[in-house]
Amino acid sequence: MKNINVALVRLLQFVVFVLFTFMVLAYFGAMVLLPLDAIALLIKLMSAIGLNGFIAAFIAVPVVGYLVMVVYKIPGLGKMVVDTGVDLVTTGKSRVEAFNEIASSVKG
């Protein structure tokens, strides 16, 4: 019975590890994809107005680049975004390591 309990604890530990890994990847992936999505949306908007796609891209990329620069220059915002992601990583690591204590107590 002890082996089954240890296996269940390890299974739950793996599920928590996968969950936190997904959340970290989604968080940092969103930081990369937001400017790219803004570029795509601006190109579609300008194409709907009647501009050629190449010309729209030629205008949208510097506009989004400028917006990213403005956000980057806000004091403390970039550090806060990165720190939030790092806190997510450390929280996940501590939760996964907490299962080791439970597994050792179940082993007896």
Side-chain angles (χ1 to χ4, degrees):
M1 192 65 176
K2 288 182 183 179
N3 290 337
I4 293 172
N5 290 340
V6 172
L8 288 174
V9 170
R10 293 297 179 193
L11 177 65
L12 287 174
Q13 183 180 23
F14 178 72
V15 169
V16 169
F17 171 75
V18 170
L19 179 70
F20 274 101
T21 302
F22 174 76
M23 286 191 286
V24 168
L25 290 175
Y27 183 78
F28 286 112
M31 296 303 121
V32 173
L33 291 178
L34 279 174
L36 295 176
D37 186 47
I39 290 171
L41 290 174
L42 278 175
I43 290 172
K44 285 182 183 180
L45 178 68
M46 289 183 212
S47 295
I49 293 173
L51 289 175
N52 186 359
F54 180 75
I55 296 170
F58 193 70
I59 295 170
V61 171
V63 168
V64 171
Y66 176 73
L67 289 174
V68 168
M69 184 187 71
V70 168
V71 169
Y72 178 75
K73 286 187 176 184
I74 296 174
L77 182 64
K79 185 179 181 330
M80 186 189 70
V81 168
V82 172
D83 286 346
T84 303
V86 171
D87 288 344
L88 187 61
V89 170
T90 55
T91 302
K93 185 176 182 285
S94 67
R95 294 297 172 225
V96 169
E97 288 176 352
F99 280 97
N100 290 333
E101 295 175 14
I102 297 171
S104 65
S105 68
V106 168
K107 281 182 183 177

